[in-house]
Amino acid sequence: MEWNPETLQKLSQCFLHTLSPVPEPRRAAERYLSEAADLPNYGLAVLRLVAEPSVEEQTRHAAAVNFKNHLRSRWLPSADSEIKPIIPSEKEQIKTLIVSLMLSSSPRIQSQLSEALAVIGKHDFPRNWPALLPELVSSLQKAALAGDYASVNGILGTANSIFKNFRHQFRTDDLFLDIKYCLEIFAPPLQDIFIKTDSLIDSAVSSSGGLAANLKPLFESQKLCCRVFLSLNFQDLPEFFEDNMEKWMTVFKKCLSSNYPALESTAEGLALVDDLRSAVCENINLYMEKYEEEFRVYLEGFASAVWTLLRDVSKSPSRDQLATTAIKFLTTVSTSAHHALFAGENVIKEICQSIVIPNVSLREEDEELFDMNYIEFIRRDMEGSDVDTRRRIACELLKGLAANYKGQVTEAVSHEIQKLLASFSTNPAVQWKDKDCAIYLVVSLATKKAGGASVSTDLIDVQSFFANIILPELQSHDVNSFPMLKAGSLKFLTMFRSHLPKPFAMQLFPELVRFLKAESNVVHSYAASCIEKLLLVKDEGGRSRYVAGDISPFLLPLMTNLFDALRFPESEENQYIMKCIMRVLGVAEISGEVAGPCIGGLTAVLSEVCRNPKNPTFNHYIFESVAVLVRRACERDISLLPAFETSLFPSLQMILNNLIEEFLPYAFQLLAQLVELNRPPLSPSYMQIFLGLLSPDMWNKSGYVPALVRLLQAVLQKAPHEVTQENRLSQVLGIFDKLIAVPSTDEQGFYVLNTVIEYLDFGAIAPYMTGVWNALFTRLQKKKTVKVQKSLVVFMSLFLVKHGHANLVDTMNAVQPNIFPTIVQQFWIPNLKLIMGSIEVKLTAVAATRLICETPALLDPAASKIWGAMLDSIVTLVSRPEQERAIEEPDMPDFLENVGYTAAFVSLHNAGRREADPLPDIRDPKQFVVACLARLSAASPGRYPQIIGENLEKANQAALLQLCSAYNSTIV
């Protein structure tokens, strides 16, 4: 794309039209830009447009956004992508222009170009862009000298974007070389601007408090310096910062200890000051965590400053970031070697009163979140999201203190809990938040026992607290009154569920069912979650505490209330409700009386979400619920199957016909489950779906493959005769060819092939075996992975036990004369001992034994070495534990084959394929091996002991003797 007035005019017009509310010109402009992006120098042309002062600001801003996104997708596209990369000469010109253009731009455009520069830096910096850092430093020094803090902050923001990539990379020599390079060039000027800016802030504040307008860019600059400091110090303590620690720590402490009335008098100014203080807290927390020895001389002063700061931090949400980072620092100190700072008399009591209780107490913002965004409230409250809420971080501080001062923490918190409950009892309607705070403290500070779901607490007697504090809330007639207290009480019951005696819990069950009718989304979600978790409780020995008979009296009202709860506003796709439905159906006895309403409710929900799938977790639980309902009901009464098919087919057909990508893998798994429950012959509906499976296009998306294979296996098992008609087997084996050729699907290809071998007659498959062996040998030549070789051993073993050794040898040798012994030596023998899994071990051990006891080619004296080597592998397989036989799989999955959007396959646990045992009559493979060897040796006495002595490892000879002794057999 040439840069000329016509290009400028055309691009300007297009970017202006992309902002149009009118669809036609907007789409036309977007289409033109998408096509133009393939042209060489398009990115350069857009960058020049961004720099063109004659063009309107909003057009240039739209162009800057486009430029940034253009770099993201085309600077270094993935190897298998069809996106055209930016050409090298264009890249060099962009790198030459971008820094100066960014610094001369308005703030809105500058931020976009800074992000674009960071995109380039992620790929090219520093190795392929050595000019960047010197240019940034030169510009920074010029801007600082001129007092141009708009440019200073632009440069620091860019440096922050580039350097923060260092924070979470693996520690390698290359990484430390890159950091060293950046430190040598950037650390001294960073320190200069940091110290100079601090001095300017002091001067501005000392002259009548300073003007907010003058202070704002200075505080922004200090915050950015702190962010860069964090990145450069994150991996290791650089010598430069260790030598200059006094300078940095002095300014850090001043930031935490000083007041800035000119800024703090407005919300915007206070946020800026708090952002700087938060960044300082992150830095000192990093030093406390990683460089404690070097930092210890400053520790006491910072601990005091942070504590003082926290006392003054209000409950306003705008100050949450500062509160949480400051408390985190104190938590880190509390678990360090310097925890004695908290050992003074009344220190922990003071922390509870002045820091913990104020930050755990409910705020208006919490109540608003509870009412307006229940999903986010639950995510933070019950699930422990990534968001560091004040409530959680304050409790983390207590846990940190308890590591060394458990008795004092328990005493102080217990005292506060009693005070809160006493306050509540004086006026429950007004002081209900105090009770909520008490419950929250008990639940949050409970200790989970290792390796289980049970919890314990020293703060209260659980039974007494439950009876006096929690039970009144759960027995309240009005499920809608004081919903936050109800939610807290349900959360307590969920947390301490294993403590409640079963008879007591069963008395509470009707109350939990009743709370599913609560209007509050959080309350009915917590009620559902509580029921679901109760049903998972195990007693000693791993037995389920609650079984089908326990919930039978409540089953119909429970299911009714669960499905009714999905009708509440905002709960139409409530994942906690649907997970509870799934769990109940997995425990309950499913009679026809229950199955009918349940399948009706589930298909109604499924039809609704098919229109617009939004919540992947909810959707997964729908399909799991359907699968468990079908499985459990049909186990009890197979005559219910036609009713399930009638209910489910419209939804499944909708998914198939409309190609609803998110649901197709689920639909294939449900169909496989239904097919497996049917008796042959399969209905025309299923056969129609099977014909659709044979389309090669259906197999192009790797996310569909495991579910498609699952369905194909079910049809091969239930309709083998129909599969062999009208060239269909050829199409099935075409699918096998396609799957086996690609490393990411080769295992699925073996699943298809094994099912063909297991359920079809040899006469049907014989004409295709040359093609099958060719496909397998070609795959081995291209990429001989351990996984493929093990799969080949399982396939050959299955072929042998189903269709005999003669057919195995003959079909293989038809590809290439006498190839069979080569395959046995190179693949079968070395990989046999790597087989895992009880069914697979039995299959392969029996097949290999039959091979050496029945196959003329291996019984020939000339093949005695192969015979001995195979027996050696058989003995290893059956006598040694799996962990001794396993080897590391050296092959990494080829992720590049699946770049881009694919419908992810998620296995349905309740629709899983039950692994069939192809040798049900053989119970003990070890016994089979020695019995066959004894019979064989009896026919040729004296021959086989010599072969065994010459070819088996000493350990395996001893193991074979032990096996013979154990099964009273002799090799003569």
Side-chain angles (χ1 to χ4, degrees):
M1 179 175 273
E2 281 189 47
W3 180 248
N4 52 43
E6 291 76 22
T7 302
L8 173 63
Q9 178 65 30
K10 179 65 177 174
L11 286 176
S12 301
Q13 191 177 40
C14 281
F15 283 119
L16 186 61
H17 283 163
T18 60
L19 305 173
S20 171
V22 183
E24 288 77 14
R26 185 177 69 246
R27 287 174 188 149
E30 289 168 351
R31 193 161 49 249
Y32 173 82
L33 293 171
S34 176
E35 292 169 0
D38 284 336
L39 299 174
N41 296 316
Y42 168 81
L44 193 58
V46 175
L47 183 59
R48 285 177 167 153
L49 167 61
V50 172
E52 185 57 52
S54 62
V55 178
E56 285 186 6
E57 166 89 5
Q58 65 169 351
T59 303
R60 290 163 57 216
H61 181 259
V65 173
N66 178 274
F67 174 73
K68 174 189 70 178
N69 293 331
H70 181 72
L71 296 196
R72 275 185 178 150
S73 62
R74 293 174 186 264
W75 195 268
L76 196 68
S78 58
D80 67 336
S81 128
E82 295 181 2
I83 296 173
K84 290 184 181 177
I86 298 170
I87 58 175
S89 60
E90 183 182 358
K91 285 184 176 182
E92 291 308 313
Q93 290 184 72
I94 288 172
K95 287 195 283 195
T96 302
L97 294 172
I98 191 167
V99 174
S100 58
L101 291 182
M102 179 194 74
L103 295 177
S104 61
S105 299
S106 64
R108 284 179 73 215
I109 293 173
Q110 188 178 85
S111 71
Q112 296 299 324
L113 292 181
S114 176
E115 287 184 48
L117 193 153
V119 170
I120 305 172
K122 183 179 179 182
H123 298 297
D124 287 18
F125 179 79
R127 308 288 166 91
N128 297 323
W129 199 359
L132 174 62
L133 216 50
E135 185 177 0
L136 286 177
V137 168
S138 171
S139 301
L140 180 65
Q141 290 169 332
K142 286 177 189 171
L145 199 61
D148 176 10
Y149 268 83
S151 294
V152 166
N153 292 343
I155 296 161
L156 289 174
T158 300
N160 178 44
S161 298
I162 295 169
F163 294 154
K164 69 182 174 187
N165 290 326
F166 293 149
R167 292 184 198 171
H168 302 292
Q169 289 186 31
F170 289 113
R171 295 164 66 90
T172 62
D173 291 344
D174 283 348
L175 173 66
F176 282 105
L177 283 173
D178 290 348
I179 294 173
K180 182 174 182 289
Y181 165 79
C182 295
L183 284 163
E184 287 171 354
I185 295 177
F186 204 80
L190 176 72
Q191 180 168 288
D192 291 344
I193 193 72
F194 185 65
I195 301 300
K196 177 182 178 179
T197 307
D198 175 62
S199 175
L200 289 173
I201 290 172
D202 285 348
S203 300
V205 170
S206 62
S207 58
S208 66
L211 294 171
N214 295 337
L215 288 172
K216 282 178 183 176
L218 301 179
F219 272 77
E220 180 66 25
S221 175
Q222 293 299 72
K223 181 191 79 174
L224 289 167
C225 284
C226 286
R227 306 306 294 162
V228 174
F229 177 93
L230 184 74
S231 299
L232 294 177
N233 283 268
F234 201 91
Q235 293 284 356
D236 213 341
L237 178 58
E239 187 179 340
F240 176 86
F241 288 108
E242 187 174 1
D243 293 344
N244 291 280
M245 197 181 296
E246 176 74 29
K247 294 176 183 175
W248 286 86
M249 295 303 151
T250 301
V251 179
F252 284 170
K253 192 175 174 193
K254 188 192 297 181
C255 292
L256 297 178
S257 309
S258 304
N259 292 316
Y260 305 96
L263 278 177
E264 293 180 66
S265 58
T266 66
E268 183 188 357
L270 179 61
L272 194 59
V273 176
D274 280 356
D275 282 349
L276 173 57
R277 289 169 176 159
S278 297
V280 168
C281 286
E282 278 196 70
N283 288 339
I284 61 175
N285 192 52
L286 174 77
Y287 267 53
M288 191 63 225
E289 284 181 334
K290 292 191 171 184
Y291 320 123
E292 187 177 334
E293 188 59 33
E294 294 83 357
F295 181 67
R296 63 191 169 93
V297 295
Y298 306 101
L299 175 57
E300 193 167 345
F302 275 113
S304 175
V306 169
W307 188 336
T308 304
L309 183 66
L310 277 168
R311 284 173 168 166
D312 297 331
V313 172
S314 69
K315 287 188 174 186
S316 166
S318 63
R319 310 201 74 184
D320 284 358
Q321 177 68 14
L322 174 59
T324 54
T325 51
I327 295 172
K328 264 187 184 176
F329 171 71
L330 293 183
T331 304
T332 304
V333 176
S334 75
T335 56
S336 73
H338 303 283
H339 57 77
L341 285 171
F342 299 101
E345 190 177 351
N346 292 329
V347 170
I348 289 174
K349 185 179 177 183
E350 173 70 15
I351 286 173
C352 277
Q353 290 175 348
S354 62
I355 296 177
V356 175
I357 299 300
N359 283 292
V360 169
S361 299
L362 278 177
R363 302 174 297 169
E364 282 184 22
E365 292 73 26
D366 299 317
E367 293 180 69
E368 191 175 302
L369 191 67
F370 183 93
D371 291 331
M372 305 301 292
N373 189 349
Y374 83 95
I375 293 172
E376 181 60 22
F377 180 89
I378 295 173
R379 207 166 67 87
R380 294 183 186 186
D381 182 56
M382 186 180 260
E383 297 179 358
S385 71
D386 296 334
V387 179
D388 287 322
T389 64
R390 288 197 190 210
R391 292 190 117 188
R392 185 181 320 136
I393 213 75
C395 288
E396 289 300 317
L397 173 57
L398 286 179
K399 289 177 184 176
L401 291 166
N404 294 294
Y405 306 102
K406 188 173 182 181
Q408 290 170 255
V409 170
T410 301
E411 183 183 346
V413 176
S414 297
H415 179 68
E416 291 301 323
I417 288 171
Q418 294 310 316
K419 276 170 56 180
L420 290 163
L421 293 174
S423 168
F424 166 76
S425 64
T426 60
N427 192 340
V430 174
Q431 303 293 352
W432 64 269
K433 290 184 183 179
D434 288 339
K435 183 174 181 178
D436 174 87
C437 185
I439 295 171
Y440 186 88
L441 283 169
V442 173
V443 171
S444 298
L445 297 176
T447 308
K448 285 196 174 182
K449 292 182 181 174
S454 62
V455 293
S456 61
T457 180
D458 296 320
L459 295 173
I460 48 132
D461 175 73
V462 174
Q463 303 284 357
S464 171
F465 191 88
F466 185 82
N468 297 318
I469 308 301
I470 303 299
L471 195 57
E473 297 299 332
L474 298 180
Q475 291 179 334
S476 165
H477 293 299
D478 185 358
V479 294
N480 295 316
S481 64
F482 299 104
M484 295 192 87
L485 274 184
K486 300 289 191 296
S489 300
L490 287 164
K491 186 180 170 189
F492 180 95
L493 175 55
T494 305
M495 176 69 80
F496 292 98
R497 59 192 178 275
S498 59
H499 287 250
L500 296 181
K502 182 174 176 178
F504 189 38
M506 294 318 302
Q507 288 176 18
L508 277 175
F509 213 86
E511 310 294 354
L512 296 177
V513 173
R514 194 166 55 86
F515 273 104
L516 293 169
K517 290 185 171 184
E519 292 171 5
S520 163
N521 299 96
V522 176
V523 173
H524 59 242
S525 297
Y526 278 17
S529 183
C530 186
I531 293 168
E532 190 262 329
K533 296 286 193 297
L534 270 175
L535 295 180
L536 288 174
V537 174
K538 298 276 193 291
D539 285 323
E540 283 186 28
R543 292 186 310 277
S544 296
R545 182 178 295 179
Y546 304 98
V547 294
D550 297 320
I551 60 173
S552 292
F554 320 108
L555 188 55
L556 278 174
L558 170 59
M559 298 312 296
T560 300
N561 286 5
L562 282 167
F563 281 109
D564 285 349
L566 293 171
R567 297 195 181 99
F568 281 114
E570 305 298 323
S571 273
E572 296 89 351
E573 295 189 22
N574 187 315
Q575 66 197 51
Y576 308 99
I577 300 287
M578 191 52 72
K579 189 177 185 182
C580 185
I581 290 172
M582 177 198 74
R583 190 73 61 211
V584 172
L585 292 174
V587 172
E589 283 288 341
I590 309 296
S591 64
E593 184 186 14
V594 174
C598 286
I599 196 64
L602 288 169
T603 50
V605 174
L606 184 54
S607 298
E608 195 60 39
V609 296
C610 279
R611 293 190 176 93
N612 183 19
K614 289 183 295 209
N615 183 339
T617 307
F618 177 79
N619 296 338
H620 179 77
Y621 289 136
I622 296 173
F623 287 101
E624 282 286 12
S625 297
V626 171
V628 72
L629 174 62
V630 171
R631 178 173 64 81
R632 298 292 310 289
C634 290
E635 279 173 358
R636 194 168 184 268
D637 183 1
I638 194 65
S639 69
L640 292 170
L641 181 60
F644 284 140
E645 291 173 325
T646 302
S647 296
L648 285 170
F649 256 68
S651 295
L652 296 176
Q653 289 287 5
M654 185 194 305
I655 293 167
L656 298 178
N657 294 339
N658 297 326
L659 295 176
I660 302 173
E661 293 197 348
E662 299 91 332
F663 291 171
L664 279 169
Y666 290 126
F668 296 141
Q669 290 176 82
L670 285 182
L671 284 165
Q673 183 186 28
L674 294 171
V675 167
E676 286 170 350
L677 288 167
N678 268 269
R679 290 180 180 171
L682 291 180
S683 72
S685 299
Y686 288 118
M687 294 313 298
Q688 192 64 38
I689 291 168
F690 165 65
L691 294 177
L693 287 186
L694 300 180
S695 164
D697 293 343
M698 187 69 95
W699 297 82
N700 288 336
K701 288 201 171 176
S702 59
Y704 295 169
V705 167
L708 284 167
V709 167
R710 170 95 176 77
L711 177 52
L712 188 54
Q713 286 179 291
V715 177
L716 287 167
Q717 179 183 344
K718 291 291 181 175
H721 176 71
E722 290 86 341
V723 169
T724 59
Q725 307 299 306
E726 300 176 16
N727 200 36
R728 290 169 191 161
L729 181 54
S730 173
Q731 292 172 281
V732 169
L733 292 172
I735 291 164
F736 153 73
D737 280 346
K738 186 183 179 83
L739 298 178
I740 200 73
V742 181
S744 61
T745 58
D746 52 18
E747 197 168 22
Q748 299 292 330
F750 275 108
Y751 292 161
V752 172
L753 185 58
N754 290 346
T755 312
V756 168
I757 295 302
E758 187 166 0
Y759 292 104
L760 271 62
D761 294 334
F762 181 71
I765 61 176
Y768 302 98
M769 283 312 301
T770 300
V772 167
W773 289 120
N774 272 321
L776 290 171
F777 297 156
T778 302
R779 176 69 178 84
L780 286 171
Q781 285 174 333
K782 282 185 178 176
K783 198 168 184 182
K784 190 172 63 174
T785 66
V786 174
K787 180 179 69 173
V788 167
Q789 292 179 89
K790 284 160 64 177
S791 296
L792 177 63
V793 170
V794 172
F795 164 68
M796 292 188 295
S797 301
L798 185 64
F799 191 112
L800 186 147
V801 301
K802 287 293 177 182
H803 304 298
H805 61 84
N807 287 329
L808 176 69
V809 175
D810 292 347
T811 56
M812 209 182 284
N813 285 338
V815 175
Q816 183 180 321
N818 212 29
I819 196 174
F820 175 72
T822 306
I823 296 297
V824 170
Q825 282 181 286
Q826 292 186 9
F827 296 105
W828 204 326
I829 291 170
N831 290 289
L832 176 63
K833 57 193 170 197
L834 305 180
I835 301 301
M836 305 292 164
S838 58
I839 291 177
E840 288 83 354
V841 166
K842 180 170 78 165
L843 168 66
T844 52
V846 168
T849 303
R850 286 182 55 182
L851 194 69
I852 61 173
C853 292
E854 299 173 9
T855 310
L858 296 184
L859 291 171
D860 189 312
S864 60
K865 277 195 174 299
I866 300 177
W867 191 98
M870 179 63 93
L871 180 58
D872 192 52
S873 269
I874 294 170
V875 175
T876 300
L877 179 69
V878 298
S879 66
R880 295 190 195 175
E882 285 191 356
Q883 59 267 31
E884 282 185 30
R885 297 187 286 108
I887 64 166
E888 287 293 318
E889 169 68 82
D891 307 290
M892 292 296 288
D894 196 347
F895 292 113
L896 290 179
E897 292 173 16
N898 298 318
V899 169
Y901 175 76
T902 56
F905 170 74
V906 182
S907 175
L908 286 175
H909 171 75
N910 288 294
R913 185 170 190 261
R914 294 186 179 178
E915 195 173 5
D917 183 351
L919 299 167
D921 297 333
I922 299 173
R923 294 191 175 181
D924 186 347
K926 296 176 185 177
Q927 185 177 19
F928 182 86
V929 171
V930 293
C932 288
L933 289 172
R935 279 197 302 274
L936 180 68
S937 68
S940 306
R943 177 183 171 189
Y944 291 101
Q946 182 182 348
I947 298 174
I948 289 168
E950 291 173 357
N951 293 285
L952 266 68
E953 292 179 14
K954 293 291 183 191
N956 281 348
Q957 289 183 38
L960 183 57
L961 272 175
Q962 265 190 319
L963 288 172
C964 287
S965 173
Y967 293 103
N968 200 25
S969 298
T970 309
I971 299 172
V972 294

